[in-house]
Amino acid sequence: MQCFTELIPPTAVTDALCLPFTSATANNLIVVKTSLLQIFSFKTVSTERATDLNDNSQHGDQYHAGGRRELNTESLEHSFLGADVILQRTERSQSTKLVLEAEYPLSGIVTAIARVRILESKSGGEAVLIAFKDAKLSLVEWDPECHGMSTISIHYYEREDLQRNPFAPDLSQDVNVLTVDPSSRCAALKFGARHLAILPFRQAGDDLVMEDYDDSADREPEVNGNKSENAFQPPKKANGEPGSHQTPYMSSFVLPITVLDSTLIHPIHLSFLYEYREPTFGVLSAPHTTSTSLLHERRDALCYSVFTLDLEQRASTAILSVAGLPYDLYRAIALPSPVGGALLIGGNELVHVDQAGKTSAVAVNTFARECSSFTMMDQSGLGMRLEGCEVELLGKDSGDMLLILNTGELAIVAFRLDGRSVSGFSVRRVGRDGDGSVLKGSSSCAVNIGRGKLFVGSEDTDSVVLSWIRKGIQASKQASILGLESDIYDEQDEMEDLDDDLYSGADSHPQQPSNSLPSAERSSNGTDLEDYTFRVDDSLINLAPMADLAFGKEPSPRVEGNTQLESFLPTNLDLVTSRGHQRSGGLTVLTKKLEPVVIGSFDFPEAQDVWSVRAKRPTAKGILPQSNGKDKPSIEGDYSLSNEYDRIMVVSKSSVERGEESAVYALTPTGFEEMKDTEFDPSAGGTVDVGTLGDGMRVVQVLKSEVRSYDGDLGLAQIYPMTDEASGAEPKIISASFADPYVLLVRDDRTILILVCDESGDLEEVESGSVFSSKEWISGSLYADSEDVFALPRTNASSDPVKKITLGFLLTVDGGLEIRGTQGDLTLYKPFQTFTPEQDRSISATLQFIKSSNLYLPEPDGGPKSVSGMEDHLSLSPMRRLADVCGYSTVFVPGSSPCFILKTASTIPKAIGLQGEAVKGMSGFHTGGCEKGWVHIDVKGLVRVSRLPDGVRYTETGWSTKTVDLGEEVQALAYHEPTATYAVATSTIVDFDLPKEDDYHKEWAKENTSFKPQVEQGSVKLINPSTWSVVDTYALQPYEVALCVETLSLETSELTHARSPLIAVGTCHTLVTDLPCRGCIYVFEIITVVPEPGRPETDRKLKLVAKEDVKGAVTALSEIGSQGFLLAAQGQKCMVRGLKEDGTLLPVAFMDVMCHVSVAKALPGTGMTLLADAVKGAWFVGYTEEPYKMVLFGKSTSELEVLAGDFLPHDRQLYIVVADADCNLHILQYDPEHPKSLNGNRLLHRTVFHTGQFPSTLTRIPNDAPASSSDSPAAQQQALLHTSTTGALSVLTPLSEPQYRRLSSLQSALANLLDHPCGLNPRSFRAPSGAAAINTLTGYGSDGLGGGRGVLDAGVLSRWWELGTGRRAEAAARAGVRGEEVLADLEAVSGKLNML
């Protein structure tokens, strides 16, 4: 009884598509991350790149990637306010940024997406056809009324009559190919071994063709077909009759691909072609299976055939066929005009086939000539490997294409045109001068998003938005605009010129004579290939592949200049994972909560709340505003607001002796001091809120009984009492909200009052009418629309400026959210806007609201972080809006579970908990020593001034995420606790040379191959987390790579039996297939040495203690037993070894295993061991020390491809969880008393759960939290952390019997109540796949009890928050539970991971 919770969604981008989706004029990017679909739009912003005017060598270390400054100060006072300012010169440039519109977790694995232009869509844009694993298609569109994605239909082709061949592989084992006709007349899905599904779409003019068409063929097709049984109902006319076109598609049909041509026995790839009147596609296939070992018999065996479809007759016609193509071609890409035809990509060559069947080819390495006799242009000097490359069009008119290699290198494919015919093409690398190395890893997709931009998705590294430009255009534009008199040019004009070049006709850039440059150095439009320059505009973070992980701790709290705060900043464990491949390799440091950098702190037990204010000083006599001739008159120096730091800090205090009062402090270069010579009255009472109005000219202090207004020097200007003149009542103010020039006051009698600051600075009441007086209010907030987010839409004829809007968000007693604008409009819930031509143009008609999902489940008040007597204050603490916290516009939620709500343009809002105690009050804090930080007061009376740490990202994952680039691929890592360092095994790619000294292969010494294969070369690095830099490196033998790294407590002395934590490394040394594989076990000790000058972190070094060469690769290591021995899986044996004082590893026990041991883990302090094989399944083994031996207790009943596994003890039961290659989690149990276990010889197979993500590790989470008597069993239970190669992080949590019953009933109810994106079934998605599905159907290996209790899906359970109050109560009632019980159970499975 477990629950699977996804903590971080997949981050590896697998596919992308650009199209007008949300509207007819929009430009959207659809990004797919395995099972997560995101919809982006684009925004062009002006960015600044800073250049220091000072010496870079002197100040370069004071800046980080975020542009904030780190100050190393000697005292607390100087750390608050810094007076030194480093001058900078900035260069402005135009960049394209991604803006997230919506994201949807899908109950399926997306394999391909394509754009479809349908006749009528709700948004006016195009639709998206999504292909899922096995054989499913979903057609979706954007619905502007609900501001979300709407499913039009779902088509599935998994019927049994299409899989009658008993020898055919399962659908999940075949590669499906989806392609759509460029004119959106039909789509084709190749699935299975040789099945082709055709889905026609209705287009304009189809009525002429389909007028006499018999619809009975759609109802009873002659061939095996499948209609959309789950399609949505067609739209009705006003009179109730169906529309003329019921659906945007017609009935699909399925046919064997051999019906097109009997030689298409092994189809490889297909794609629809451009510039044909009828749907026409090309198929790359082979009559026989191809193999490198059979080149002498099956050389050039591939064939490219083109067929035209007749959708009415469901027939096809062969147009052309090109045979004798190289054997290694694997992809066909259709090319639009002016090039046309198709580009065939192979491992060693590129082949172009035009509409007439004429071919042109280029060999990019020396193997192309050796493997094929096909005629090619020789460019073997490029030395390219085209496996896994991506090709995308750069410009529609130029025809040039960008080639992205699997190493991240860039190249340009340029075609030579002779009229409308292609006479040839060439390939040339993009040099480093053109930033050809901007990508660090391979790409999974590349999409042209227009205007000189490309989106490049990757599964190995961060996905990026690339912009490109030509140097020749840049220089000519610079000369024409500036007359060669200046080195500074306007990049915006440059980009406009680039757009004109891309999208203008061919006459504007006539082709140069072909003899002006060599053919290999000139593209189709006559531009030099060296002219292309690339840069990165935006990126999406990627945490994949998470090959290994380790738990560690920071060496010290993040406190600058003060070491006495260690007890106030408890630091939890960090989760460190590997990321990237080859050059993009590195580490990712994940922390569940935000750990700030504390600039300074002081004790202030009486403080209850704090505000820092940035206000203008009153204009002194004789100072006149200055004007620059263009803008409005301005005041510079101390009298301006834009360049001024916070000058005033107001603190609300409370004590038993003096009651509630307020104090004001001036922030000075020496720290801060209480202000005496002002008109600020400390005895007026406790402060409710403080803000500025009148463009910073007025400081407004909100007290419980009145509102006071001051000038910039705290001279009293006005007192506005809360006395009601009509009734004489004196209501108390409980909260306030500022939005210049308004302030909203919520009072204890559940009324509100809105004041406005006039031009003279006086506060006046705003007439609210009967709307506010007719209801009772408990909370409110004002929002100033400075970015014109809610600006009223203007007609094309209107030239009036956009009017700024201020919105008021008010919460009524009954829970309704009322929004009142300055123009008297009322709307409800979360904002989004919809526009239609006939719609009223007022904000009340265009502004709509939807309910958002829950972001954060806080800890209950009065928990371990709160203090007795503070519960009421914490529960009433208002949220704080902070305009700029280190670049984030955020909302802070105080209380027992303080958190920041953060959001960036490319992410959804995320709630990040703040590390430390419960928070009573906080405010932004912007000074020279703490720029764009904050100050907060915890329940212990400690005031801290903090800021966000450098180089940490939050919104992409919802965790504190820091990436460390190493430039090498990380194979494994381990944390060494005594020295607080990480041992990391890395590898680089090197050329492989055959062993020259081999006695059996004398010919190897005469090898003269210039294009050599590449293998991995490993090393072990020691990393200090204080700076995350490499402090020591141990190089392994040539072509030796580490497979596993563990920190083991081993016995180091046979006499004293002393034990020490050492680093054990298992390696594999592979030469060629003719030689046996060897391995080695290294044991290192981390010692203390004298650090390098200027680098105090280099005081650690690796010392080799033992080295043992073994037969076979060492694939797994673990500590075992109680005597300090290690367990090593070497080849087909598992051996227990002891470390001797002479540096050898003495074997004491062994066990023969099957094929390849992928998992070897032992429960600490016991002899119970899990051995998992990559082919045969899982074994449960016992180890004894008197005598030394290993005994097999039980094993799995079915053969599982186990890739990861671990123990999961729960409720006095021993469970074993393993993950297989089909993305399934198998729950096994060792229960010798159960009759089906045969006295424990069989591991009971309880259930199977499909995760959808390829597993990389399964790790039992250490429970380091101190246990208390009040902790529930659920709080002390263990869990399993699941990582995947897609960057997803999940947790498997065991449940008690009552919890499982309640949540299981709730999940069943929610599955029927919720609307699932793309029409997918979450139950079907979580069902086992692959071999596990066959075993489930046959009953073999299934020992589930109680009707087969499955693992619960927290992704479905968490959507309970999406329902309204009534529907949540309905879902809970269906499950037979109360809402409070559901809330407690959801908190238990939310994956909070307190140890992180």
Side-chain angles (χ1 to χ4, degrees), residues 1337-1349:
L1337 293 175
T1338 58
Y1340 177 73
S1342 178
D1343 302 307
L1345 302 178
R1349 291 187 171 185

Side-chain angles (χ1 to χ4, degrees), residues 550-554 572-576 589-591 595 982 1396:
F551 295 98
K553 287 187 177 182
E554 291 286 343
N572 291 338
L573 293 180
D574 291 336
L575 174 62
V576 182
V589 185
L590 297 169
T591 307
E595 296 184 2
Y982 291 88
L1396 293 178

